[in-house]
Amino acid sequence: MKTRQNKIMGLEEAVNKYVRNGSHISIGGFTINRNPMAAVYEIIRQRIKNLHLYAHSNGQGVDELIGAGCVKKIEIAYGGNGKFAATCICFRKAVQKGVIEIEDYSNYQMTLRFLAGSMGIPFLPVRSSLGTDIVKKWGFSRESRLKDPKLPDEKLITMNNPFGDWLNTAKVVLVPAINTDVTIIHVQKADKQGTGRIQGLSFADTEQAKSAKHLILTCEELIDTEEIRTSPDQNQIPFINVDAVVHVPHGAYPTACYKYYDYDPVYLNDYAGWAGNENLYKKYLEKYIYNIKTHEDLINLIGEKRLKAIKANSSTGYATDLIRS
Amino acid sequence: MKYTSREMMTIVAARQIRNGDIVFCGTGISMLAAMAAKNINAPESVIFFETGAIDAQLDEIPMAVADSRVMFGASLNGGLLDAFATMQNRITGKKVIGILGAAQIDRFGNINSTVIGDYFNPDVRFSGSGGACDVASFVPRSIIFMQHEKRKFVNKLDYLTSPGHLDGADGRKNAGLAPGGPEVIITDMAVMRFHDTTKQMYLHGYYPGVKKEKILENMEFEVDVSMAEEVRPPSLEELKILREKCDPQRLILGKI
């Protein structure tokens, strides 16, 4: 029941309860910021497979899920990680080897697809991608779409403006709604009932959150209901959408969490090196994920020194003068 | 004063930005060009990210458009939905200039940032569109950064990710896209633009010391070079601001 007062759960329990083999899933954040990494690592630890992943530009989390073999199909706009990886390495290798099936959209299209899902409508129109291969080339064939009841029969549809030339527009592209089985987002603050507060850019987290059948909220800080309700105008995630609240400090690590900590350039650069080499990547999975019990253990393994280096400056919200090269 | 190729490209791009422009930036050299423009020639331009940050302060160089450094000191922090709507919007969208990059470009300024080889069995997979296709579809002007190599200036794209002028003069109109499209291509050798009527790429300028023949040798297709002039190198003032104010750690500019 999504209106219950207390949804606090452990991460292992929440992932076990809502993320299944073959689930259709999305995660919050964008490239190197506010990915729900603790939950991503827990999914990998629980050896969940055959996920159908929907992503706009959720770099690090998406790449790790792919690298660990959790993903079968992906619908995505951008598989990169800023300056840390022009193209995410596990993503690139998996697509080149045909290990995962991929469907390409643009960032706005993916965002509108989540919005349509959150609004309960089957599609939304957009003026982007007309004349491009995003319209012409389908990663998932029509036959495979027709066979899969969880996918729309069409990737997208181009149509003439049904309002004639209203707003001087001849054509629009219709993109189909997404309703995931489960979405996981990491927020700065939440209460036990699941009201969530994102600080800084919200990316497409609110649309993703509201398009999900089940929503797991991991949070940096768990605060009293009374406190979170003193400034309701600062809250974006309604508790009526939330199934589980998990308190995980450093839950976005090694990606950033505005006002709390920066991304860890050491981890992200090391990761890029490991991801390029099969043996090193196996060792990475063992050491940093499989042999770790909880996210707290990972944080302890990383150690005080590195955590201190990435601690956010209270005024800027990031680690000022952090060595990032 | 000596300058690097990256510094030249950044300054040439910055000069394209006008006061009053809303500059859509990606990661890397594009945000540096926007920062340079704001500090040099277009103080009232606005740096704008697809992640939803408007007029970020950028005290430090962001490593991605989602870096917390784009959030600090911004006028507001929104999300993707607002950011792309701003560009599709008939009023605000007209003010936006996009800065893009790609793996391949064709004579009409269409770009590929998705795959090399067959889409269904790619030799190399790249990041994909991200917001590039949206920006290229919506906004009236864009700058495209390219490395000047034959394998990048191609007769036929392996995948058309983001629309330029599509198949020429009326390409965008016939497809139903908003008017506009790419305005200028900035490479490590030259500046290319598009003919008003045919929308074909032509050589507008070459960098000091670069021969027109060399530029053509590094492209699969021929372009008109008859109007080309030498591009003015960065001035001392421009270089000083770029190096000291915009990227003192040389995170984007790289080594001298």
Side-chain angles (χ1 to χ4, degrees), chain A residues 30 33 77-79 83 87 92 96 104 106-108 127-130 132-133 138 167 169 171 201-203 262-263 319 321 324, chain B residues 50 53 60-61 63 66-69 78-81 84 88 90 119-120 124-125 127 129-130 134 137 159-160 174 176 251:
Chain A
F30 195 106
N33 214 314
Y78 178 79
K83 289 290 283 177
T87 306
R92 190 191 70 219
Q96 286 172 194
D104 278 279
S106 71
N107 263 344
Y108 194 31
R127 290 190 81 193
S128 89
S129 81
L130 289 158
T132 72
D133 283 334
W138 293 19
L167 233 63
T169 299
K171 290 175 192 170
L201 294 166
S202 56
F203 308 123
D262 222 318
Y263 43 83
D321 296 324
R324 294 180 290 149
Chain B
E50 66 184 294
E60 290 188 11
I61 291 264
M63 298 292 265
D67 195 314
S68 299
R69 285 159 189 76
L80 274 67
L81 203 57
F84 288 109
Q88 192 175 229
R90 306 311 166 97
Y119 178 64
F120 300 97
V124 185
R125 171 72 207 199
S127 60
S129 159
D134 303 306
S137 296
Y159 185 97
L160 199 168
N174 293 341
L251 287 170

Short mmCIF file of all heavy atoms in Angstrom, two decimals, chain A residues 30 33 77-79 83 87 92 96 104 106-108 127-130 132-133 138 167 169 171 201-203 262-263 319 321 324, chain B residues 50 53 60-61 63 66-69 78-81 84 88 90 119-120 124-125 127 129-130 134 137 159-160 174 176 251:
data_model
loop_
_atom_site.label_atom_id
_atom_site.label_comp_id
_atom_site.label_asym_id
_atom_site.label_seq_id
_atom_site.Cartn_x
_atom_site.Cartn_y
_atom_site.Cartn_z
N PHE A 30 22.14 11.24 -14.04
CA PHE A 30 22.59 11.60 -15.39
C PHE A 30 24.12 11.49 -15.40
O PHE A 30 24.78 12.10 -14.58
CB PHE A 30 22.15 13.02 -15.70
CG PHE A 30 22.22 13.44 -17.15
CD1 PHE A 30 21.06 13.57 -17.91
CD2 PHE A 30 23.44 13.73 -17.75
CE1 PHE A 30 21.11 13.99 -19.23
CE2 PHE A 30 23.50 14.15 -19.08
CZ PHE A 30 22.33 14.28 -19.83
N ASN A 33 26.35 11.94 -12.21
CA ASN A 33 25.69 12.57 -11.07
C ASN A 33 24.45 11.80 -10.61
O ASN A 33 23.62 11.41 -11.43
CB ASN A 33 25.29 14.01 -11.42
CG ASN A 33 25.38 14.93 -10.21
OD1 ASN A 33 24.92 14.58 -9.12
ND2 ASN A 33 26.00 16.07 -10.40
N ALA A 77 19.32 6.99 -25.02
CA ALA A 77 19.67 8.14 -25.85
C ALA A 77 21.18 8.35 -25.90
O ALA A 77 21.73 8.73 -26.93
CB ALA A 77 18.99 9.40 -25.31
N TYR A 78 21.86 8.13 -24.76
CA TYR A 78 23.27 8.50 -24.68
C TYR A 78 24.02 7.55 -23.77
O TYR A 78 23.75 7.50 -22.57
CB TYR A 78 23.38 9.93 -24.17
CG TYR A 78 24.78 10.48 -23.98
CD1 TYR A 78 25.51 10.94 -25.08
CD2 TYR A 78 25.35 10.57 -22.72
CE1 TYR A 78 26.79 11.46 -24.90
CE2 TYR A 78 26.63 11.09 -22.53
CZ TYR A 78 27.35 11.54 -23.62
OH TYR A 78 28.59 12.07 -23.45
N GLY A 79 24.95 6.79 -24.34
CA GLY A 79 25.76 5.86 -23.54
C GLY A 79 27.16 6.42 -23.36
O GLY A 79 28.14 5.82 -23.80
N LYS A 83 33.55 13.54 -19.65
CA LYS A 83 34.98 13.46 -19.96
C LYS A 83 35.59 12.13 -19.49
O LYS A 83 36.72 11.81 -19.84
CB LYS A 83 35.73 14.62 -19.31
CG LYS A 83 35.47 15.97 -19.95
CD LYS A 83 36.07 16.09 -21.34
CE LYS A 83 37.58 16.33 -21.29
NZ LYS A 83 38.16 16.37 -22.66
N THR A 87 32.38 7.36 -24.88
CA THR A 87 31.37 6.30 -24.97
C THR A 87 31.64 5.35 -23.81
O THR A 87 32.79 4.94 -23.61
CB THR A 87 31.51 5.51 -26.30
OG1 THR A 87 31.47 6.43 -27.39
CG2 THR A 87 30.38 4.50 -26.44
N ARG A 92 29.73 0.09 -24.97
CA ARG A 92 30.27 0.00 -26.33
C ARG A 92 30.58 -1.44 -26.70
O ARG A 92 30.19 -1.94 -27.76
CB ARG A 92 31.54 0.86 -26.45
CG ARG A 92 32.04 1.02 -27.88
CD ARG A 92 33.43 1.64 -27.92
NE ARG A 92 34.41 0.71 -27.42
CZ ARG A 92 35.45 1.03 -26.66
NH1 ARG A 92 35.64 2.28 -26.29
NH2 ARG A 92 36.30 0.12 -26.25
N GLN A 96 28.77 -3.74 -29.58
CA GLN A 96 29.60 -4.23 -30.69
C GLN A 96 29.58 -5.74 -30.79
O GLN A 96 29.59 -6.31 -31.88
CB GLN A 96 31.04 -3.73 -30.54
CG GLN A 96 31.17 -2.25 -30.87
CD GLN A 96 32.54 -1.65 -30.56
OE1 GLN A 96 32.67 -0.45 -30.54
NE2 GLN A 96 33.55 -2.48 -30.30
N ASP A 104 17.71 3.08 -30.22
CA ASP A 104 18.16 4.46 -30.03
C ASP A 104 17.02 5.46 -30.09
O ASP A 104 16.20 5.44 -31.02
CB ASP A 104 19.16 4.82 -31.14
CG ASP A 104 20.56 4.34 -30.84
OD1 ASP A 104 21.25 5.02 -30.07
OD2 ASP A 104 20.95 3.27 -31.36
N SER A 106 16.38 9.91 -28.73
CA SER A 106 17.10 11.09 -28.25
C SER A 106 16.74 11.32 -26.79
O SER A 106 15.80 10.72 -26.26
CB SER A 106 16.70 12.32 -29.08
OG SER A 106 15.37 12.69 -28.75
N ASN A 107 17.49 12.22 -26.15
CA ASN A 107 17.23 12.51 -24.74
C ASN A 107 15.83 13.07 -24.49
O ASN A 107 15.17 12.73 -23.52
CB ASN A 107 18.26 13.51 -24.21
CG ASN A 107 19.40 12.82 -23.48
OD1 ASN A 107 19.28 11.65 -23.11
ND2 ASN A 107 20.48 13.53 -23.27
N TYR A 108 15.40 13.98 -25.36
CA TYR A 108 14.07 14.57 -25.15
C TYR A 108 13.00 13.50 -25.38
O TYR A 108 12.01 13.43 -24.65
CB TYR A 108 13.87 15.74 -26.12
CG TYR A 108 12.67 16.64 -25.80
CD1 TYR A 108 12.23 16.83 -24.50
CD2 TYR A 108 12.03 17.33 -26.83
CE1 TYR A 108 11.15 17.67 -24.23
CE2 TYR A 108 10.96 18.17 -26.57
CZ TYR A 108 10.52 18.34 -25.27
OH TYR A 108 9.47 19.18 -25.01
N ARG A 127 8.95 17.42 -32.13
CA ARG A 127 9.42 17.82 -33.46
C ARG A 127 10.86 17.40 -33.72
O ARG A 127 11.49 17.92 -34.62
CB ARG A 127 9.29 19.34 -33.63
CG ARG A 127 7.85 19.81 -33.74
CD ARG A 127 7.80 21.26 -34.14
NE ARG A 127 7.98 21.43 -35.57
CZ ARG A 127 8.23 22.61 -36.15
NH1 ARG A 127 8.35 23.69 -35.41
NH2 ARG A 127 8.36 22.70 -37.46
N SER A 128 11.40 16.49 -32.92
CA SER A 128 12.79 16.12 -33.19
C SER A 128 12.89 14.80 -33.94
O SER A 128 11.96 13.98 -33.90
CB SER A 128 13.60 16.06 -31.89
OG SER A 128 13.55 14.81 -31.32
N SER A 129 13.99 14.64 -34.64
CA SER A 129 14.42 13.40 -35.32
C SER A 129 13.79 13.17 -36.70
O SER A 129 14.10 12.17 -37.35
CB SER A 129 14.25 12.16 -34.45
OG SER A 129 12.91 11.69 -34.46
N LEU A 130 12.95 14.10 -37.17
CA LEU A 130 12.39 13.96 -38.52
C LEU A 130 13.54 13.89 -39.54
O LEU A 130 14.47 14.69 -39.48
CB LEU A 130 11.48 15.15 -38.84
CG LEU A 130 10.16 15.17 -38.06
CD1 LEU A 130 9.59 16.59 -37.99
CD2 LEU A 130 9.16 14.22 -38.69
N THR A 132 15.79 11.57 -39.80
CA THR A 132 17.02 10.92 -39.31
C THR A 132 16.86 9.40 -39.24
O THR A 132 15.75 8.86 -39.40
CB THR A 132 17.38 11.40 -37.89
OG1 THR A 132 16.44 10.84 -36.96
CG2 THR A 132 17.35 12.92 -37.77
N ASP A 133 17.98 8.74 -38.95
CA ASP A 133 17.94 7.28 -38.80
C ASP A 133 17.31 6.84 -37.48
O ASP A 133 16.99 5.67 -37.30
CB ASP A 133 19.35 6.70 -38.94
CG ASP A 133 19.78 6.65 -40.41
OD1 ASP A 133 18.89 6.59 -41.28
OD2 ASP A 133 21.00 6.69 -40.68
N TRP A 138 15.23 0.67 -36.82
CA TRP A 138 14.70 0.12 -35.58
C TRP A 138 15.64 -0.95 -35.05
O TRP A 138 15.89 -1.96 -35.73
CB TRP A 138 13.32 -0.51 -35.83
CG TRP A 138 12.25 0.46 -36.18
CD1 TRP A 138 12.40 1.72 -36.66
CD2 TRP A 138 10.84 0.23 -36.07
NE1 TRP A 138 11.17 2.30 -36.86
CE2 TRP A 138 10.20 1.41 -36.51
CE3 TRP A 138 10.06 -0.85 -35.64
CZ2 TRP A 138 8.82 1.54 -36.54
CZ3 TRP A 138 8.69 -0.73 -35.67
CH2 TRP A 138 8.07 0.46 -36.11
N LEU A 167 0.48 26.31 -35.62
CA LEU A 167 1.84 26.50 -35.11
C LEU A 167 2.89 26.20 -36.18
O LEU A 167 4.02 25.82 -35.87
CB LEU A 167 2.10 25.66 -33.85
CG LEU A 167 2.64 26.45 -32.65
CD1 LEU A 167 1.67 27.49 -32.14
CD2 LEU A 167 3.02 25.53 -31.52
N THR A 169 3.49 23.86 -38.20
CA THR A 169 4.14 22.56 -38.06
C THR A 169 3.49 21.56 -39.00
O THR A 169 2.28 21.32 -38.91
CB THR A 169 3.98 22.06 -36.59
OG1 THR A 169 4.62 22.99 -35.74
CG2 THR A 169 4.59 20.69 -36.40
N LYS A 171 4.68 18.23 -39.55
CA LYS A 171 4.75 16.84 -39.07
C LYS A 171 5.22 16.77 -37.63
O LYS A 171 5.96 17.65 -37.17
CB LYS A 171 5.74 16.04 -39.92
CG LYS A 171 5.28 15.76 -41.33
CD LYS A 171 6.37 15.06 -42.10
CE LYS A 171 6.01 15.06 -43.58
NZ LYS A 171 7.12 14.61 -44.41
N LEU A 201 19.91 19.86 -10.02
CA LEU A 201 19.14 19.44 -11.20
C LEU A 201 18.38 18.14 -10.92
O LEU A 201 18.94 17.21 -10.34
CB LEU A 201 20.08 19.23 -12.38
CG LEU A 201 20.78 20.49 -12.91
CD1 LEU A 201 21.93 20.11 -13.82
CD2 LEU A 201 19.79 21.39 -13.64
N SER A 202 17.13 18.11 -11.38
CA SER A 202 16.35 16.88 -11.17
C SER A 202 16.46 15.92 -12.35
O SER A 202 15.97 14.80 -12.28
CB SER A 202 14.88 17.25 -10.92
OG SER A 202 14.39 18.01 -12.00
N PHE A 203 17.13 16.37 -13.44
CA PHE A 203 17.27 15.55 -14.66
C PHE A 203 15.88 15.12 -15.14
O PHE A 203 15.02 15.97 -15.31
CB PHE A 203 18.23 14.37 -14.43
CG PHE A 203 19.55 14.80 -13.87
CD1 PHE A 203 20.04 14.29 -12.67
CD2 PHE A 203 20.31 15.77 -14.51
CE1 PHE A 203 21.26 14.72 -12.14
CE2 PHE A 203 21.53 16.21 -13.99
CZ PHE A 203 21.99 15.68 -12.80
N ASP A 262 31.20 14.98 -4.28
CA ASP A 262 31.46 15.04 -5.71
C ASP A 262 31.56 13.61 -6.25
O ASP A 262 31.59 12.65 -5.47
CB ASP A 262 32.78 15.78 -5.95
CG ASP A 262 32.69 16.75 -7.11
OD1 ASP A 262 32.09 16.36 -8.13
OD2 ASP A 262 33.22 17.86 -7.00
N TYR A 263 31.67 13.49 -7.57
CA TYR A 263 32.06 12.20 -8.14
C TYR A 263 33.50 11.93 -7.72
O TYR A 263 34.26 12.85 -7.41
CB TYR A 263 31.93 12.19 -9.66
CG TYR A 263 32.42 13.43 -10.36
CD1 TYR A 263 33.78 13.59 -10.66
CD2 TYR A 263 31.54 14.44 -10.72
CE1 TYR A 263 34.24 14.73 -11.30
CE2 TYR A 263 32.00 15.60 -11.35
CZ TYR A 263 33.34 15.74 -11.63
OH TYR A 263 33.79 16.87 -12.24
N ALA A 319 33.14 19.48 -4.61
CA ALA A 319 34.44 19.54 -3.93
C ALA A 319 35.33 20.52 -4.68
O ALA A 319 35.91 20.19 -5.71
CB ALA A 319 35.08 18.16 -3.88
N ASP A 321 38.25 22.63 -6.04
CA ASP A 321 39.66 22.33 -6.29
C ASP A 321 40.01 20.84 -6.23
O ASP A 321 41.16 20.46 -6.01
CB ASP A 321 40.59 23.10 -5.32
CG ASP A 321 40.50 24.60 -5.53
OD1 ASP A 321 40.35 25.01 -6.70
OD2 ASP A 321 40.57 25.35 -4.53
N ARG A 324 41.00 16.42 -10.72
CA ARG A 324 40.07 15.65 -11.55
C ARG A 324 40.68 15.10 -12.82
O ARG A 324 40.00 14.49 -13.62
CB ARG A 324 38.86 16.53 -11.90
CG ARG A 324 38.03 16.88 -10.66
CD ARG A 324 36.86 17.74 -11.02
NE ARG A 324 37.25 19.07 -11.41
CZ ARG A 324 36.58 19.82 -12.29
NH1 ARG A 324 35.51 19.34 -12.87
NH2 ARG A 324 37.00 21.03 -12.59
N GLU B 50 21.47 20.92 -21.42
CA GLU B 50 20.30 20.06 -21.62
C GLU B 50 19.79 19.46 -20.32
O GLU B 50 18.64 19.05 -20.21
CB GLU B 50 20.61 18.93 -22.60
CG GLU B 50 21.64 17.94 -22.07
CD GLU B 50 22.01 16.88 -23.10
OE1 GLU B 50 21.14 16.08 -23.44
OE2 GLU B 50 23.16 16.87 -23.54
N ALA B 53 20.20 23.33 -16.37
CA ALA B 53 20.82 24.47 -15.69
C ALA B 53 20.85 25.67 -16.63
O ALA B 53 21.27 25.55 -17.77
CB ALA B 53 22.23 24.12 -15.24
N GLU B 60 34.38 26.43 -11.94
CA GLU B 60 35.30 25.39 -12.37
C GLU B 60 34.71 24.71 -13.60
O GLU B 60 33.49 24.71 -13.78
CB GLU B 60 35.49 24.34 -11.26
CG GLU B 60 36.25 24.86 -10.06
CD GLU B 60 36.58 23.73 -9.06
OE1 GLU B 60 36.41 22.55 -9.41
OE2 GLU B 60 37.02 24.07 -7.95
N ILE B 61 35.57 24.11 -14.42
CA ILE B 61 35.11 23.43 -15.64
C ILE B 61 34.34 22.16 -15.27
O ILE B 61 34.84 21.32 -14.53
CB ILE B 61 36.33 23.02 -16.50
CG1 ILE B 61 37.01 24.26 -17.06
CG2 ILE B 61 35.94 22.03 -17.57
CD1 ILE B 61 36.60 24.64 -18.44
N MET B 63 32.93 18.41 -15.88
CA MET B 63 33.42 17.26 -16.65
C MET B 63 32.29 16.59 -17.42
O MET B 63 32.50 15.61 -18.13
CB MET B 63 34.08 16.24 -15.72
CG MET B 63 35.29 16.79 -14.99
SD MET B 63 36.68 17.13 -16.09
CE MET B 63 37.62 15.61 -15.92
N ALA B 66 26.10 17.10 -16.49
CA ALA B 66 25.39 16.83 -15.24
C ALA B 66 26.28 17.10 -14.02
O ALA B 66 25.88 16.84 -12.90
CB ALA B 66 24.92 15.37 -15.21
N ASP B 67 27.47 17.59 -14.25
CA ASP B 67 28.40 17.89 -13.16
C ASP B 67 27.75 18.88 -12.18
O ASP B 67 27.09 19.83 -12.62
CB ASP B 67 29.67 18.49 -13.78
CG ASP B 67 30.86 18.52 -12.83
OD1 ASP B 67 30.69 18.93 -11.67
OD2 ASP B 67 31.96 18.14 -13.27
N SER B 68 27.98 18.69 -10.90
CA SER B 68 27.43 19.64 -9.91
C SER B 68 27.93 21.06 -10.17
O SER B 68 27.31 22.03 -9.74
CB SER B 68 27.81 19.22 -8.49
OG SER B 68 27.28 17.94 -8.20
N ARG B 69 29.04 21.18 -10.88
CA ARG B 69 29.58 22.51 -11.22
C ARG B 69 28.66 23.32 -12.13
O ARG B 69 28.82 24.54 -12.23
CB ARG B 69 30.97 22.36 -11.85
CG ARG B 69 32.02 22.03 -10.80
CD ARG B 69 33.25 21.38 -11.39
NE ARG B 69 34.12 20.90 -10.31
CZ ARG B 69 33.89 19.80 -9.60
NH1 ARG B 69 32.84 19.04 -9.86
NH2 ARG B 69 34.69 19.46 -8.62
N GLY B 78 16.60 23.17 -13.39
CA GLY B 78 15.39 22.46 -13.79
C GLY B 78 15.71 21.01 -14.10
O GLY B 78 16.44 20.35 -13.39
N GLY B 79 15.16 20.56 -15.24
CA GLY B 79 15.41 19.19 -15.67
C GLY B 79 15.41 19.12 -17.18
O GLY B 79 15.31 20.15 -17.87
N LEU B 80 15.50 17.91 -17.70
CA LEU B 80 15.58 17.72 -19.16
C LEU B 80 14.33 18.22 -19.86
O LEU B 80 14.40 18.80 -20.95
CB LEU B 80 15.77 16.23 -19.49
CG LEU B 80 17.20 15.71 -19.50
CD1 LEU B 80 17.80 15.73 -18.10
CD2 LEU B 80 17.28 14.31 -20.07
N LEU B 81 13.19 17.99 -19.23
CA LEU B 81 11.92 18.34 -19.85
C LEU B 81 11.86 19.84 -20.17
O LEU B 81 11.51 20.23 -21.29
CB LEU B 81 10.79 17.95 -18.89
CG LEU B 81 9.41 17.72 -19.46
CD1 LEU B 81 9.43 16.65 -20.54
CD2 LEU B 81 8.46 17.33 -18.34
N PHE B 84 14.74 20.95 -22.97
CA PHE B 84 14.45 20.69 -24.38
C PHE B 84 13.23 21.49 -24.85
O PHE B 84 13.17 21.92 -26.00
CB PHE B 84 14.29 19.19 -24.64
CG PHE B 84 15.60 18.46 -24.59
CD1 PHE B 84 15.89 17.62 -23.54
CD2 PHE B 84 16.56 18.67 -25.56
CE1 PHE B 84 17.12 16.97 -23.48
CE2 PHE B 84 17.79 18.02 -25.51
CZ PHE B 84 18.07 17.17 -24.46
N GLN B 88 12.59 23.83 -28.16
CA GLN B 88 11.50 23.57 -29.10
C GLN B 88 10.52 24.75 -29.13
O GLN B 88 9.81 24.97 -30.11
CB GLN B 88 10.78 22.26 -28.73
CG GLN B 88 9.84 21.76 -29.81
CD GLN B 88 9.23 20.40 -29.46
OE1 GLN B 88 9.24 19.49 -30.27
NE2 GLN B 88 8.69 20.26 -28.27
N ARG B 90 8.79 28.24 -29.59
CA ARG B 90 8.92 29.16 -30.74
C ARG B 90 9.52 30.50 -30.37
O ARG B 90 9.98 31.24 -31.22
CB ARG B 90 7.55 29.40 -31.39
CG ARG B 90 6.81 28.17 -31.79
CD ARG B 90 7.71 27.25 -32.58
NE ARG B 90 7.11 25.94 -32.69
CZ ARG B 90 6.42 25.53 -33.76
NH1 ARG B 90 6.28 26.31 -34.79
NH2 ARG B 90 5.91 24.32 -33.76
N TYR B 119 24.54 -0.40 -38.65
CA TYR B 119 23.86 -0.12 -37.37
C TYR B 119 23.56 -1.41 -36.61
O TYR B 119 23.65 -1.44 -35.38
CB TYR B 119 22.55 0.64 -37.64
CG TYR B 119 21.74 0.93 -36.38
CD1 TYR B 119 22.26 1.75 -35.38
CD2 TYR B 119 20.48 0.38 -36.20
CE1 TYR B 119 21.53 2.02 -34.23
CE2 TYR B 119 19.73 0.65 -35.05
CZ TYR B 119 20.27 1.47 -34.07
OH TYR B 119 19.55 1.73 -32.93
N PHE B 120 23.22 -2.47 -37.35
CA PHE B 120 22.80 -3.71 -36.69
C PHE B 120 23.99 -4.61 -36.31
O PHE B 120 23.82 -5.59 -35.59
CB PHE B 120 21.80 -4.46 -37.57
CG PHE B 120 20.57 -3.64 -37.84
CD1 PHE B 120 20.44 -2.90 -39.00
CD2 PHE B 120 19.57 -3.54 -36.87
CE1 PHE B 120 19.32 -2.10 -39.22
CE2 PHE B 120 18.44 -2.74 -37.08
CZ PHE B 120 18.33 -2.02 -38.26
N VAL B 124 32.16 0.07 -34.67
CA VAL B 124 32.38 0.89 -33.47
C VAL B 124 31.05 1.52 -33.06
O VAL B 124 30.34 2.09 -33.89
CB VAL B 124 33.38 2.04 -33.73
CG1 VAL B 124 33.68 2.78 -32.43
CG2 VAL B 124 34.68 1.53 -34.34
N ARG B 125 30.76 1.37 -31.80
CA ARG B 125 29.56 2.00 -31.27
C ARG B 125 29.97 3.27 -30.50
O ARG B 125 30.90 3.24 -29.70
CB ARG B 125 28.83 1.03 -30.35
CG ARG B 125 27.67 1.61 -29.55
CD ARG B 125 26.45 1.92 -30.39
NE ARG B 125 25.69 3.01 -29.77
CZ ARG B 125 24.41 3.29 -30.04
NH1 ARG B 125 23.74 2.57 -30.93
NH2 ARG B 125 23.82 4.30 -29.47
N SER B 127 28.35 6.99 -28.41
CA SER B 127 27.36 7.24 -27.35
C SER B 127 25.92 7.31 -27.86
O SER B 127 25.00 6.97 -27.16
CB SER B 127 27.71 8.55 -26.65
OG SER B 127 27.68 9.61 -27.58
N SER B 129 22.76 9.73 -29.80
CA SER B 129 22.31 11.12 -29.92
C SER B 129 22.52 11.94 -28.65
O SER B 129 22.99 13.06 -28.70
CB SER B 129 20.82 11.15 -30.28
OG SER B 129 20.26 12.41 -29.94
N GLY B 130 22.15 11.39 -27.49
CA GLY B 130 21.98 12.26 -26.33
C GLY B 130 20.97 13.31 -26.71
O GLY B 130 19.94 13.00 -27.33
N ASP B 134 17.88 16.38 -30.83
CA ASP B 134 16.83 17.33 -30.45
C ASP B 134 17.27 18.76 -30.77
O ASP B 134 16.53 19.53 -31.39
CB ASP B 134 16.52 17.22 -28.95
CG ASP B 134 16.12 15.81 -28.55
OD1 ASP B 134 15.18 15.27 -29.17
OD2 ASP B 134 16.74 15.23 -27.64
N SER B 137 17.44 19.43 -34.40
CA SER B 137 16.10 19.50 -34.98
C SER B 137 15.43 20.85 -34.70
O SER B 137 14.68 21.35 -35.52
CB SER B 137 15.21 18.40 -34.40
OG SER B 137 15.67 17.12 -34.74
N TYR B 159 25.29 6.43 -40.19
CA TYR B 159 24.02 6.58 -39.46
C TYR B 159 23.76 8.08 -39.33
O TYR B 159 24.66 8.83 -38.97
CB TYR B 159 24.14 5.94 -38.08
CG TYR B 159 22.86 5.90 -37.25
CD1 TYR B 159 22.05 4.77 -37.22
CD2 TYR B 159 22.47 7.00 -36.46
CE1 TYR B 159 20.88 4.73 -36.44
CE2 TYR B 159 21.32 6.96 -35.70
CZ TYR B 159 20.53 5.82 -35.69
OH TYR B 159 19.39 5.78 -34.91
N LEU B 160 22.56 8.51 -39.68
CA LEU B 160 22.25 9.94 -39.56
C LEU B 160 21.58 10.18 -38.20
O LEU B 160 20.40 9.91 -38.02
CB LEU B 160 21.34 10.39 -40.71
CG LEU B 160 21.26 11.90 -41.00
CD1 LEU B 160 20.58 12.16 -42.34
CD2 LEU B 160 20.60 12.72 -39.91
N ASN B 174 10.97 19.87 -46.20
CA ASN B 174 10.27 18.66 -46.67
C ASN B 174 10.11 17.62 -45.56
O ASN B 174 9.11 16.90 -45.52
CB ASN B 174 11.02 18.03 -47.85
CG ASN B 174 10.99 18.93 -49.08
OD1 ASN B 174 10.13 19.82 -49.17
ND2 ASN B 174 11.92 18.73 -50.00
N GLY B 176 9.76 18.32 -42.47
CA GLY B 176 8.89 18.84 -41.41
C GLY B 176 9.65 19.44 -40.24
O GLY B 176 9.08 19.70 -39.19
N LEU B 251 41.97 21.50 -18.21
CA LEU B 251 41.22 20.24 -18.21
C LEU B 251 40.68 19.92 -19.60
O LEU B 251 40.60 18.77 -20.00
CB LEU B 251 40.05 20.30 -17.21
CG LEU B 251 40.43 20.25 -15.73
CD1 LEU B 251 39.24 20.57 -14.85
CD2 LEU B 251 41.00 18.89 -15.37
#
